[in-house]
Amino acid sequence: LNRLLGPRDHASRFLHLRDVARRVDYWPYASRLEASLLQYSLARRHFPETYSQLIKLRQPAYVRLLLSNAFPRMQVTTRWGAGKSLYYGPFPTRAAAEQYEEGVLDLFQIRRCQEDLTPAQNHPGCVYGEMNKCLRPCQLVVSAEEYGGETDRVRAFLESDGQSLLDSVRAARDRFSEEMEFEEAARTHKRWERVAAAAQARGDLATNAQQLCGVAVVPSAQPEHVGLWFFEDGCWRAGAQLSLAVEEGKPAPMDRRLKELAAALPPASRISLRDRQEHQALLTAWYFSNWREGEWVSVESIGHLPYRRLVNAVHRVATGTGSE
């Protein structure tokens, strides 16, 4: 600031703003998440045409289930479209999304081809159909309704983070054990292990992207405070500062203060599909970075916060004892 706004050295060729600047605005922060959200907001306001290039906003990868297609299929993408689809993610890299997609496809029999199918009995098919890894709708082996049933199973797997298939396979394994069909029980257990491995490959953050919810607990620039940034239904809501100071004569449990703070949040505003994707890009950049400070607490919704987990996260961030 001294160089930009101080007395001008006419011999210097550096940029000098004393003649044009009228004031200096600044925002203290203690976490890079808060800084990135503020930078995003300012860049959008002042450079609406080029803000994404200025802040180098990198879109994360998702596994997309195209539901608008007559014969739904999956694909890895970094862009959300307007058609009816389920987006699962975000993933740290495209390679991670492709690995997860491959693991899910091995559990079901939906098609892997990318073409817009025109089913016919003389369709050449593909190697996955010959390997019994596809229901072969291209060759009219199954009807659209039968194929839709398999698509519903894939969708349930994604929306439940794999729990729907895990529960089904576990129930079958236990039934075989009770009926003393131990060979079938052993085979079913191996299938359960494959399903569990595929489900775990999603990582810590990936879920139904339109319903992604959580709270980022980060350090605050205000003494005896921590910052809480709420993420609901796939987009950022307003941040809040949680005071850790105990007022003499008015002790209040931490979970009560958290509940009051969450209840005082302004209503979520409607945002565009593009804005929602950019909000998730900001979350992904912070969450998967090696400079992440603070903790992320996944929640079902802001109205149903896991207060014990949140209180523990607040304590770790406030005392600097977190594992991040």
Side-chain angles (χ1 to χ4, degrees):
L1 288 176
N2 282 333
R3 182 180 66 78
L4 290 172
L5 303 176
R8 183 167 187 174
D9 181 1
H10 293 282
S12 173
R13 301 181 63 181
F14 286 112
L15 176 68
H16 194 265
L17 301 177
R18 184 184 181 92
D19 297 333
V20 296
R22 294 293 176 266
R23 73 175 191 270
V24 175
D25 293 338
Y26 68 95
W27 297 262
Y29 68 91
S31 75
R32 297 194 183 183
L33 173 63
E34 184 177 0
S36 65
L37 292 173
L38 177 61
Q39 185 185 26
Y40 169 74
S41 175
L42 294 172
R44 283 197 55 161
R45 183 191 309 169
H46 297 291
F47 305 98
E49 301 298 328
T50 60
Y51 68 90
S52 60
Q53 290 82 14
L54 285 173
I55 64 175
K56 299 180 180 179
L57 191 62
R58 179 177 173 270
Q59 300 297 340
Y62 301 86
V63 172
R64 179 186 184 187
L65 179 63
L66 289 88
L67 299 172
S68 57
N69 195 289
F71 296 96
R73 59 183 174 84
M74 295 174 68
Q75 67 174 188
V76 173
T77 182
T78 58
R79 299 290 180 184
W80 289 21
K84 186 179 179 182
S85 298
L86 187 152
Y87 293 90
Y88 194 86
F91 292 89
T93 63
R94 189 179 186 91
E98 290 173 346
Q99 179 183 0
Y100 179 78
E101 178 197 32
E102 187 68 23
V104 174
L105 287 172
D106 284 341
L107 301 175
F108 300 95
Q109 291 183 294
I110 64 171
R111 66 190 183 99
R112 307 187 187 209
C113 55
Q114 303 296 307
E115 63 180 296
D116 290 329
L117 286 183
T118 304
Q121 290 183 343
N122 60 352
H123 193 284
C126 69
V127 65
Y128 293 107
E130 298 299 325
M131 296 169 62
N132 201 31
K133 291 187 175 183
C134 176
L135 292 176
R136 295 190 289 175
C138 56
Q139 298 175 320
L140 297 175
V141 174
V142 295
S143 65
E145 290 75 17
E146 291 171 320
Y147 187 88
E150 187 73 354
T151 302
D152 291 341
R153 294 179 64 226
V154 175
R155 181 171 185 172
F157 181 91
L158 296 176
E159 290 182 333
S160 65
D161 297 330
Q163 202 59 46
S164 61
L165 188 56
L166 283 170
D167 291 344
S168 175
V169 176
R170 184 187 298 110
R173 180 195 62 190
D174 294 345
R175 186 176 66 255
F176 285 131
S177 295
E178 292 172 359
E179 296 173 355
M180 294 186 170
E181 297 185 22
F182 299 119
E183 291 184 0
E184 286 297 328
R187 278 193 288 268
T188 307
H189 180 70
K190 288 188 177 297
R191 174 169 170 76
W192 183 89
E193 290 177 338
R194 288 198 299 113
V195 175
Q200 291 172 0
R202 70 186 182 89
D204 298 328
L205 191 60
T207 187
N208 183 346
Q210 291 99 323
Q211 300 174 2
L212 178 59
C213 289
V215 182
V217 184
V218 295
S220 171
Q222 298 184 37
E224 296 189 67
H225 284 72
V226 295
L228 299 179
W229 291 89
F230 295 88
F231 196 90
E232 185 175 25
D233 293 336
C235 59
W236 288 108
R237 292 185 62 180
Q241 300 295 317
L242 175 67
S243 174
L244 304 178
V246 178
E247 297 184 25
E248 187 175 352
K250 296 181 179 180
M254 181 66 72
D255 57 348
R256 183 191 302 173
R257 282 187 274 171
L258 286 168
K259 189 176 298 186
E260 293 172 351
L261 188 147
L265 287 174
S269 57
R270 295 179 61 87
I271 65 173
S272 67
L273 197 65
R274 177 181 176 180
D275 291 346
R276 188 182 299 270
Q277 188 176 0
E278 290 178 351
H279 284 209
Q280 298 212 7
L282 292 167
L283 170 62
T284 306
W286 169 75
Y287 186 87
F288 292 112
S289 66
N290 55 12
W291 44 259
R292 171 163 62 115
E293 70 281 87
E295 297 194 18
W296 170 260
V297 180
S298 296
V299 303
E300 292 184 4
S301 70
I302 302 303
H304 297 84
L305 294 175
Y307 291 105
R308 178 173 295 182
R309 288 173 50 208
L310 203 51
V311 167
N312 291 337
V314 168
H315 174 74
R316 289 191 294 268
V317 172
T319 58
T321 58
S323 60
E324 304 305 335

